[in-house]
Amino acid sequence: MTAGLKHLLGIEPLTPDQITAILDLADSYVDLNKRQIKRTDTLAGRTQINMFFENSTRTQASFELAGKRLGADVMNMAMQASSIKKGETLIDTALTLNAMHPDLLVVRHPNSGAVDLLAQKVNCAVLNAGDGRHEHPTQALLDALTIRRAKGRLHRLSVAICGDIAHSRVARSNLILLGKMENRIRLVGPSTLMPSGIADLGCEVYHDMEEGLKDVDVVMMLRLQKERMDGGFIPSEREYYHRYGLDAAKLARAKKDAIVMHPGPMNRGVEIDGDIADDIHRSVIQEQVEMGVAVRMAAMDLLMQGRAAKSKEVWV
Ligand code: ASP
């Protein structure tokens, strides 16, 4: 099963079957990652280049580890110090790298759409590691795998996505994925952090956190994306925590076995209480990190399988 993928640029173009294929393969990589020898030669001889134009700790480390565990040669480009700083365009950088015949480019960029544009210019598979406010597909897939393993299914669940929806590519990718898998989605946050017209996407919008969390199966918290805000979106962090920070009282409104998620990095005491984040009976935040490596291994494996199957075709 190759899932028929050429690139992984977003959740939007994926079918439910393709999503399931990635998650099923990722399950087997979760097992591999628990063994003493965490290595296969699935991508032996393949070259993976990580190009992060925006700071990242966990995502870059996760992609690097995923590639190495699959046996690929992994190179991290220091984009901050790259020729882009000397005035080279994104496309020229991509074309230069393309001439070195990589098999996989993993790209994070602050501008929405930049990764799609780059994918049109190169011959290899491109994975979007987050572009602006647009998409962060591997985050939504790792969240989906975490939910499926914790809840035993990925459909007919009630999921509350809470906080800074407007600036979040994580929210967007999750909204699309969870919608495709037929879950009921609630968006919870202040109107200033809610994109206009969002209710048209078939989710329910709540401005009151206690109402929004009532009887949900999954509470997904988001970071306040201060770097994407210009101007005042919230009165103060203290006031925000009071109304929208996840604490024990607000969590008590959700189902008794509801799980708590956060993509990281977390602002403790701003969008989430530290004790809730660390509560191993409710929080699956560490599992999300673990699932991240497995999902990225699965996505890269399937992309390479798909390309090998179609190697006689001309890729544009
Ligand atoms: N790490 C996630 C992202 O890159 C979430 C965040 O930064 O808040 O979008």
Side-chain angles (χ1 to χ4, degrees):
M1 172 58 138
T2 67
L5 296 174
K6 183 175 171 189
H7 301 293
L8 181 61
L9 300 174
I11 298 296
E12 187 94 65
L14 299 185
T15 63
D17 282 350
Q18 287 174 319
I19 292 169
T20 303
I22 298 171
L23 301 186
D24 289 348
L25 182 59
D27 262 328
S28 68
Y29 283 126
V30 174
D31 296 337
L32 176 83
N33 288 338
K34 286 186 181 141
R35 288 195 213 138
Q36 200 173 15
I37 309 292
K38 305 169 185 61
R39 200 176 162 107
T40 67
D41 58 3
T42 313
L43 295 192
R46 303 286 200 163
T47 306
Q48 171 190 337
I49 301 181
N50 295 334
M51 299 167 73
F52 281 65
F53 295 89
E54 219 185 41
N55 286 340
S56 163
T57 318
R58 79 199 61 221
T59 307
Q60 184 165 345
S62 183
F63 268 111
E64 184 175 349
L65 213 49
K68 285 182 171 164
R69 288 186 180 170
L70 291 171
D73 297 314
V74 186
M75 188 179 110
N76 289 308
M77 291 280 291
M79 298 318 295
Q80 310 296 345
S82 77
S83 307
I84 295 269
K85 284 268 180 270
K86 298 182 190 158
E88 190 176 66
T89 65
L90 170 67
I91 298 309
D92 282 336
T93 304
L95 292 178
T96 302
L97 290 175
N98 191 49
M100 299 179 197
H101 301 292
D103 299 284
L104 287 152
L105 281 182
V106 179
V107 188
R108 169 168 287 191
H109 200 280
N111 298 344
S112 306
V115 184
D116 288 48
L117 186 69
L118 192 143
Q120 291 166 29
K121 306 287 178 189
V122 296
N123 306 102
C124 62
V126 176
L127 284 105
N128 181 0
D131 65 323
R133 304 175 190 190
H134 176 227
E135 282 235 35
H136 192 353
T138 55
Q139 176 73 48
L141 288 161
L142 75 88
D143 289 340
L145 185 62
T146 308
I147 295 172
R148 194 172 82 166
R149 290 171 69 99
K151 293 280 151 206
R153 65 179 200 275
L154 188 58
H155 59 274
R156 281 188 287 109
L157 291 166
S158 180
V159 182
I161 306 179
C162 312
D164 184 0
I165 317 281
H167 301 101
S168 176
R169 54 193 174 212
V170 174
R172 225 181 98 76
S173 289
N174 265 300
L175 191 58
I176 302 169
L177 190 153
L178 293 166
K180 281 181 194 268
M181 304 312 273
E182 294 180 13
N183 295 284
R184 197 167 152 198
I185 304 156
R186 299 179 180 185
L187 299 180
V188 185
S191 49
T192 47
L193 295 178
M194 207 58 84
S196 56
I198 194 81
D200 303 344
L201 291 180
C203 43
E204 298 164 55
V205 175
Y206 291 83
H207 300 302
D208 181 292
M209 183 101 166
E210 299 206 353
E211 249 180 67
L213 294 194
K214 192 165 183 308
D215 294 330
V216 297
D217 299 288
V218 177
V219 181
M220 188 181 286
M221 300 307 300
L222 299 171
R223 181 173 65 90
L224 263 190
Q225 313 245 299
K226 288 180 245 172
E227 75 280 16
R228 299 210 182 102
M229 297 179 184
D230 48 1
F233 284 82
I234 54 164
S236 70
E237 286 185 359
R238 201 162 154 227
E239 174 69 14
Y240 183 80
Y241 180 68
H242 175 66
R243 292 195 58 197
Y244 295 103
L246 185 67
D247 56 16
K250 296 189 192 89
L251 181 58
R253 305 281 295 173
K255 282 194 186 148
K256 289 232 163 338
D257 60 352
I259 54 170
V260 173
M261 308 180 75
H262 193 300
M266 268 185 282
N267 292 309
R268 289 172 185 255
V270 178
E271 68 258 356
I272 189 164
D273 172 67
D275 289 343
I276 300 279
D278 298 334
D279 179 353
I280 53 165
H281 302 295
R282 308 304 295 271
S283 165
V284 292
I285 296 171
Q286 295 307 319
E287 280 86 342
Q288 287 174 270
V289 178
E290 183 186 349
M291 295 309 121
V293 179
V295 149
R296 291 174 177 122
M297 290 170 83
M300 292 198 285
D301 181 352
L302 288 171
L303 281 171
M304 288 300 94
Q305 282 183 39
R307 292 212 164 222
K310 295 194 179 187
S311 60
K312 293 212 167 57
E313 289 181 24
V314 178
W315 298 104
V316 283

